[in-house]
Amino acid sequence: MRISCPCCGPRDRREFTYYGAADYLNRPALDADASAWDDYLHLRDNPAGETRDLWYHDPCGTWVAVTRDTVTHAVIAAEAVA
Amino acid sequence: MADLSAREPCAGLGLPLTLGGCRLAALPVERITAIQPFPGKVAAVETVLRAQGLRFPAPGHSHEAGGARIVWAGRETAFLFGMAAPEGLSAHAALSDQSDGWAGLRLEGPDARAVLARLLPIDLRAGAFEPEACARAPLNHMQVLIRRAGEAAFDLFVYRSMAGTAVHELTDAMRAVAARQAAVR
Ligand SMILES: [Zn+2]
């Protein structure tokens, strides 16, 4: 699997660290109720198909949101988020 | 009182070393300055560098002028090798002396790319990694800054503390490639 780092270009999957679902980008408001925080921290979809998750490109330090397909392993998009 | 004497980062590591079609040597120690432009100051940094015949490199690129090299070394970061930071640069960029922090190695010869292919997951063929191209990449579990120094020559910079491990990894790969070449011939 290869991911296009928005800074460095297409690189091998070994150069990236997986962080988790892109849901981590949608942090609830501080005063959100407990169920919103429970969703945020613990509840994840497990799709067969398109999914979006966060990866860290170790060599350059770019956080990348990757849209990919868990069935075909196709990487559909990669965008810098930090 | 302790008797402290300066040692080069690759001292005592058995370099230079030739194995098969490959030679590994320590690069001469030079001044290295990290340049990190302040927000919105890349153009001002460019202006200062241009007077030296240099440019601030785009990701994956390096430039050479008058014995000095400027090498992309990370996001909004370039390393200037072989000259002091030009006058006026510190007004537009954070500068830090990195000279003692890195160990430089040169791997060259017809098998250099085959050796690196065992350690680095990046495409080092000339079409994808032309002379003066550079990258931050993993050399097994170590981060390196690699730059193509010639048709069959690569310069590798690792954190100084990892010089011994880097030489060990590279030597192992050189030995394996040399043995394979000998078996095939
Ligand atoms: Zn990158």
Side-chain angles (χ1 to χ4, degrees), chain A residues 24-46:
Chain A
Y24 282 117
L25 296 173
N26 307 318
R27 198 181 169 88
L30 274 180
D31 58 358
D33 62 20
S35 75
W37 281 98
D38 184 54
D39 277 3
Y40 173 70
L41 289 171
H42 304 298
L43 297 185
R44 293 290 174 265
D45 294 331
N46 184 20

Side-chain angles (χ1 to χ4, degrees), chain B residues 4 10 15 19 37 56 60 76 82-83 92 95 103 106 110 125 132 139 178 181:
Chain B
L4 301 176
C10 295
L15 302 181
L19 275 168
F56 194 80
E76 290 97 42
M83 71 178 284
H92 311 300
L95 306 179
R106 174 164 295 182
R125 288 175 298 179
E132 302 210 336
L139 178 90
Q181 302 286 21

Side-chain angles (χ1 to χ4, degrees), chain A residues 5-9 11 15-16 57-62 64, chain B residues 72 75 136:
Chain A
C5 171
C7 174
C8 305
R11 294 297 191 92
E15 297 192 10
F16 295 83
H57 191 214
D58 303 328
C60 78
T62 299
V64 190
Chain B
W72 179 84
R75 287 176 60 181
R136 293 294 291 253

Side-chain angles (χ1 to χ4, degrees), chain B residues 39-117:
Chain B
K41 292 290 180 187
V42 173
V45 166
E46 284 268 5
T47 305
V48 177
L49 290 173
R50 228 173 267 276
Q52 312 291 327
L54 295 168
R55 278 178 289 159
F56 194 80
H61 292 272
S62 70
H63 307 290
E64 202 162 347
R69 274 136 287 129
I70 190 163
V71 181
W72 179 84
R75 287 176 60 181
E76 290 97 42
T77 303
F79 284 177
L80 179 63
F81 290 80
M83 71 178 284
E87 195 79 24
L89 199 58
S90 61
H92 311 300
L95 306 179
S96 63
D97 182 14
Q98 303 271 331
S99 316
D100 289 333
W102 297 81
L105 296 160
R106 174 164 295 182
L107 185 71
E108 63 187 325
D111 290 340
R113 195 161 59 76
V115 167
L116 292 174

